[in-house]
Amino acid sequence: MRLTLTSRMWTGLNGLIAFLFSYSVAFSQVNYSLDQSIDVKVQGKSLAMPWAGGLNSPQVNTMDLNADGKEDLVIFDRMANKIFTYLNSGNQYRYAPDYELYFPPSISDWVLLRDFNCDGKKDLFTTNPAGISVFVNTTKTGGTPTWRAFYPGHPLLTIGFSGSINLQMNATDIPAIDDVDEDGDLDVIVARFVGFGSLEFHKNMSIENTGRCDSMQLVRVTTEWGNFEECNCARFAFGGINCSQLPGGKVLHDAGKSLLTLDLNNDGLHDLLFSEQNCNSLYLLPNEGTPATAQMNTFSVYPATSPTTLLFPAAYYEDVDFDGVKDLTVATNISARVTTDMDMSNSVWFYKNTGSNLLPQFSFQKTNFLQDQMIDVGSYSSPAFADFDRDGDLDLFISYWSAPDSVASIYQYENTGNFYSPSFQLVTNDYLQFLNRGFYNLKIQFVDTNGDGKTDLAFTATDKKTSVTQLYTLTNTSSGVFDFSGQSPQPTGFIINQLENVLLYDVTNDGLPDILWGKNDGSLQHYRNTGSFVFVPNNTAYLGLKTSTSRYCVSPAVADLKHDGKADLLVGNQGSIVVFNDFQSANPSLDSLKVTNTIQGSAVNSDLSSYLSVTTADLFNSSNPIVFAGTITGGVLALKPDETQSDPNENSISFWPNPSGQNEKINVRTSQNSVIQFFTILGQKINDPIPVNADTTQVIEQALSAGLYFAKVSWNGKSKTVKLVVK
């Protein structure tokens, strides 16, 4: 069949009204679910939880989340500033974000789960502006986690040398909460609050005072637990000597400390695994004293075999491989991206305990525990979708902050499924050889930048040599498979700050892509394209989003979320996404994108990540696009509209290429036996019905003039209308 405009085409008011009625259908607000169903393969193996969002600075804890008698995984990621929950499902971890809602919202900086009241349920310790907050686990049998504050409105107290005081500690630190003196209740060890390299020991007097281990009755016993000072990386002062007495000595490090105590040689003494914020090693300080009085005399890098090289490594002692024996995991504890050359996709080192809980022996296994089961490209991931191979389905591309050699590239995943059952396979982690281009802080998008009907690549990036961040373009020279060969990225001169977001979109409907700019002052600004990619400010508080401390580098994206023919603007900001419905109208309405919590059976506002890079893709051809959010932790969250999961008789429809060029063949594929008719924007019928068999590709030749057309697809008494653009 060849589509051609002819003089015999009919027009009329009744036909136009009928056509527009079939297109303009009202739909209700769509809720979303954090979805793992879209398959992602790496080297031919499917990832267990591809869309779990990545990890950067995870603090590893275990507890039974779903009351099935199995220990699940609870991780607080310090860079994302949020809880991640994973269920033990058949001795494999499965991302279960529904449980994240059941943790105290005031959690920040660090989290340790420890059973201080001996009721068999792990309680929660976290930071407090004045020290440490404690939450008692009040979960009922068979219920979801619940908590109450141990000291409502107050931090954890201790009896100091002159009365009761807050147990102060730096928020950058991780304390040791352990029965250090082996008397049956949990004690607390913290780094001294200001300017010293020694540790405070706060003894729990619960057993001594009451004979029960059901409280935290702390007394500060000493400010020099272990009788040592940490002076610098791999430099300690032992035996009562302080750092100032060493050659050239003084305390050079008063930054964050991470502490873990455990008995490594079954001698009844708790040894110390210690790390410092500015160091790349984990140190073992063996305890050669007594349970009541620790004495450290030596140190060594730990583990001796395959020691970690992470910056600020923090150690955790939990069974994470389901064999009943506690393992060692070591992860960086940095709170922000402080260097460009750290591989954040390999920031969780796993050492299996091949010994026992009484006499552990740790054997190195991998540098990417959990990360190897999810998309994790490092940090500040930015996803984008485009049909690079022109096969009718959308492929996935992910840019990110930087690789270990201080530059960034693009991960390319080919959609090896189809337009209603997507499946992604990793092709390369260096698409277009960006590792040779000298950029980091890379954020990509696919858009026609020059109006030639071809999809080009636009991106913002920071030049490693100049540290300048700006917008660049690469022109696609092919109407078929993308071709960016033989050219270098072209700078536009549009300069931005790092972490700011730029979206190219024709806001003014003049055929030229404008800029929506999410700035670090919280504003969203519109810059109009005056031609030749020259942008001028048009609105510095677009949609009322002016300078605000409640927003930071908002991430804009545009999609027709309600499939009502009207463009909606999504704005990602510090863990949440809001939607301006029909944002180009005079009075757009505002919605919060809500996520369905299957436990509660309702849609709730969810904390997705402390930094988001938002885009959309209609992978199921349902006209309900999936919202994808790149995260600070280097992963991607897939928020799938609940509607796409409900109707197995729905017809998935795909036309490609779309837009197409004049005289370019159009491919059509449907999941139901269908017939198709094409119309002009005025309702003029272009062709007789064309039958299309389910799951087969129909090729249609066309000689249409440039413009907007509609294809009406009918099946089983139902119909859909799809926009087609000829350029």
Side-chain angles (χ1 to χ4, degrees):
M1 173 67 70
R2 186 173 181 86
L3 304 178
T4 309
L5 287 173
T6 72
S7 60
R8 292 180 293 174
M9 289 181 175
W10 57 269
T11 184
L13 181 60
N14 290 336
L16 177 59
I17 291 174
F19 177 79
L20 293 179
F21 180 80
S22 73
Y23 182 72
S24 300
V25 181
F27 291 85
S28 60
Q29 175 67 38
V30 178
N31 293 325
Y32 292 79
S33 295
L34 284 165
D35 186 66
Q36 296 293 324
S37 66
I38 303 172
D39 184 47
V40 178
K41 291 184 174 68
V42 175
Q43 295 181 344
K45 183 178 180 181
S46 293
L47 302 181
M49 42 186 175
W51 311 99
L55 293 169
N56 273 2
S57 304
Q59 300 165 5
V60 181
N61 294 273
T62 61
M63 68 176 287
D64 186 0
L65 290 170
N66 58 349
D68 65 350
K70 301 176 183 177
E71 290 289 279
D72 306 301
L73 203 58
V74 177
I75 283 180
F76 177 78
D77 192 287
R78 193 170 175 222
M79 279 187 68
N81 196 40
K82 68 160 292 184
I83 288 283
F84 293 88
T85 50
Y86 309 83
L87 291 180
N88 174 354
S89 178
N91 287 348
Q92 185 176 28
Y93 288 116
R94 175 174 62 85
Y95 184 45
D98 287 343
Y99 290 90
E100 296 167 6
L101 186 67
Y102 295 94
F103 285 80
S106 60
I107 286 175
S108 183
D109 292 304
W110 59 270
V111 170
L112 293 176
L113 296 178
R114 302 286 189 267
D115 180 11
F116 80 82
N117 56 6
C118 301
D119 64 353
K121 296 181 290 189
K122 290 186 177 180
D123 309 296
L124 189 149
F125 296 77
T126 187
T127 194
N128 180 288
I132 297 175
S133 287
V134 183
F135 293 89
V136 181
N137 188 336
T138 57
T139 304
K140 296 180 180 179
T141 302
T144 53
T146 57
W147 314 87
R148 66 170 174 82
F150 180 59
Y151 286 124
H154 298 282
L156 184 62
L157 300 177
T158 188
I159 297 176
F161 299 141
S162 58
S164 183
I165 59 172
N166 299 347
L167 199 169
Q168 288 186 307
M169 61 169 285
N170 293 297
T172 53
D173 297 347
I174 296 180
I177 301 176
D178 187 14
D179 183 11
V180 176
D181 57 5
E182 295 280 318
D183 67 352
D185 51 25
L186 292 184
D187 312 299
V188 179
I189 301 174
V190 298
R192 291 185 68 179
F193 187 56
V194 176
F196 299 93
S198 60
L199 306 182
E200 294 183 355
F201 174 52
H202 297 261
K203 175 179 172 58
N204 192 345
M205 301 296 295
S206 182
I207 289 290
E208 286 80 359
N209 293 340
T210 68
R212 302 188 306 271
C213 59
D214 59 358
S215 188
M216 295 292 291
Q217 301 179 29
L218 300 178
V219 174
R220 183 171 62 184
V221 174
T222 178
T223 59
E224 296 179 346
W225 184 80
N227 197 24
F228 75 94
E229 284 189 5
E230 185 254 352
C231 311
N232 203 338
C233 295
R235 188 172 172 85
F236 294 84
F238 296 105
I241 298 175
N242 59 45
C243 294
S244 62
Q245 296 173 280
L246 296 178
K250 61 179 180 178
V251 177
L252 298 180
H253 284 169
D254 58 0
K257 311 282 194 295
S258 172
L259 314 177
L260 175 68
T261 53
L262 68 166
D263 185 357
L264 287 172
N265 56 3
N266 197 25
D267 64 354
L269 302 178
H270 289 236
D271 308 300
L272 176 66
L273 295 182
F274 178 98
S275 69
E276 211 277 350
Q277 186 172 349
N278 299 312
C279 305
N280 291 84
S281 294
L282 181 68
Y283 302 107
L284 167 64
L285 285 78
N287 189 348
E288 300 176 10
T290 67
T293 305
Q295 177 68 46
M296 277 66 175
N297 298 314
T298 61
F299 80 95
S300 61
V301 173
Y302 194 84
T305 302
S306 302
T308 179
T309 57
L310 296 169
L311 180 63
F312 196 8
Y316 309 93
Y317 190 45
E318 300 278 5
D319 175 21
V320 296
D321 62 356
F322 318 109
D323 64 358
V325 181
K326 290 186 176 183
D327 308 294
L328 185 71
T329 53
V330 182
T332 180
N333 194 43
I334 59 175
S335 61
R337 186 92 205 201
V338 295
T339 177
T340 60
D341 59 359
M342 187 172 177
D343 184 1
M344 299 302 294
S345 64
N346 286 272
S347 61
V348 194
W349 291 37
F350 170 46
Y351 298 84
K352 178 179 175 61
N353 187 349
T354 58
S356 65
N357 289 329
L358 293 177
L359 197 62
Q361 297 290 326
F362 298 120
S363 173
F364 172 74
Q365 302 295 306
K366 62 177 70 174
T367 62
N368 55 356
F369 173 68
L370 291 184
Q371 294 171 303
D372 61 344
Q373 293 302 314
M374 60 182 77
I375 292 175
D376 191 332
V377 299
S379 58
Y380 295 102
S381 54
S382 183
F385 290 85
D387 184 9
F388 84 94
D389 51 7
R390 303 284 273 191
D391 65 352
D393 51 36
L394 292 173
D395 307 292
L396 170 64
F397 300 81
I398 308 174
S399 55
Y400 57 98
W401 181 268
S402 74
D405 51 1
S406 304
V407 292
S409 190
I410 303 169
Y411 282 69
Q412 177 194 14
Y413 297 81
E414 181 183 359
N415 189 343
T416 57
N418 53 49
F419 63 90
Y420 58 87
S421 181
S423 177
F424 294 102
Q425 170 74 49
L426 178 64
V427 177
T428 178
N429 63 0
D430 189 20
Y431 181 61
L432 302 181
Q433 291 77 53
F434 259 78
L435 289 175
N436 297 323
R437 299 185 187 272
F439 295 118
Y440 67 95
N441 183 28
L442 182 62
K443 298 175 185 178
I444 60 171
Q445 58 190 292
F446 291 95
V447 62
D448 182 2
T449 61
N450 55 9
D452 64 355
K454 303 180 183 70
T455 301
D456 306 308
L457 176 61
F459 63 93
T460 59
T462 305
D463 188 299
K464 185 178 178 181
K465 293 181 179 179
T466 65
S467 297
V468 173
T469 308
Q470 66 173 304
L471 176 66
Y472 296 83
T473 62
L474 271 171
T475 302
N476 178 15
T477 60
S478 171
S479 296
V481 176
F482 286 1
D483 186 355
F484 299 101
S485 61
Q487 56 181 306
S488 298
Q490 295 302 303
T492 65
F494 193 88
I495 309 295
I496 65 173
N497 292 315
Q498 287 188 10
L499 299 185
E500 293 183 335
N501 293 289
V502 165
L503 174 69
L504 288 168
Y505 185 80
D506 184 7
V507 175
T508 56
N509 290 319
D510 61 359
L512 299 174
D514 305 310
I515 281 178
L516 289 177
W517 181 7
K519 298 198 66 177
N520 58 12
D521 64 5
S523 67
L524 180 64
Q525 301 191 2
H526 172 220
Y527 276 64
R528 183 171 58 86
N529 188 343
T530 61
S532 301
F533 243 55
V534 176
F535 301 94
V536 297
N538 185 59
N539 189 336
T540 58
Y542 189 68
L543 298 177
L545 298 181
K546 58 185 178 181
T547 299
S548 172
T549 57
S550 67
R551 293 184 298 273
Y552 179 72
C553 294
V554 298
S555 172
V558 173
D560 181 3
L561 294 181
K562 296 182 178 180
H563 46 102
D564 58 1
K566 301 172 183 177
D568 308 306
L569 177 67
L570 299 88
V571 177
N573 173 55
Q574 298 189 62
S576 65
I577 300 174
V578 297
V579 180
F580 291 87
N581 300 297
D582 190 12
F583 81 100
Q584 292 164 297
S585 66
N587 296 296
S589 61
L590 181 64
D591 283 327
S592 174
L593 191 149
K594 294 183 180 296
V595 178
T596 299
N597 186 293
T598 59
I599 299 174
Q600 291 190 349
S602 61
V604 297
N605 292 318
S606 292
D607 178 17
L608 300 175
S609 180
S610 61
Y611 183 93
L612 299 173
S613 180
V614 180
T615 191
T616 66
D618 186 5
L619 295 181
F620 293 86
N621 273 271
S622 64
S623 298
N624 267 13
I626 299 173
V627 177
F628 291 90
T631 65
I632 192 173
T633 45
V636 180
L637 301 173
L639 294 106
K640 188 176 182 182
D642 291 343
E643 279 190 18
T644 64
Q645 305 172 34
S646 60
D647 188 0
N649 297 316
E650 184 63 33
N651 196 0
S652 295
I653 304 163
S654 184
F655 289 81
W656 76 94
N658 187 17
S660 63
Q662 289 180 276
N663 298 308
E664 185 174 9
K665 294 178 181 179
I666 299 174
N667 300 281
V668 182
R669 191 177 176 96
T670 62
S671 60
Q672 304 283 343
N673 291 331
S674 309
V675 294
I676 300 173
Q677 281 188 298
F678 293 85
F679 297 83
T680 70
I681 193 172
L682 295 177
Q684 296 171 304
K685 184 169 60 175
I686 298 176
N687 68 298
D688 293 326
I690 303 172
V692 176
N693 294 326
D695 298 325
T696 61
T697 300
Q698 175 81 40
V699 179
I700 300 174
E701 297 183 353
Q702 56 89 7
L704 299 174
S705 303
L708 175 64
Y709 299 88
F710 295 93
K712 184 178 180 181
V713 182
S714 303
W715 76 100
N716 296 333
K718 301 179 181 180
S719 65
K720 276 186 181 180
T721 305
V722 179
K723 293 180 184 178
L724 294 174
V725 177
V726 177
K727 292 193 174 184

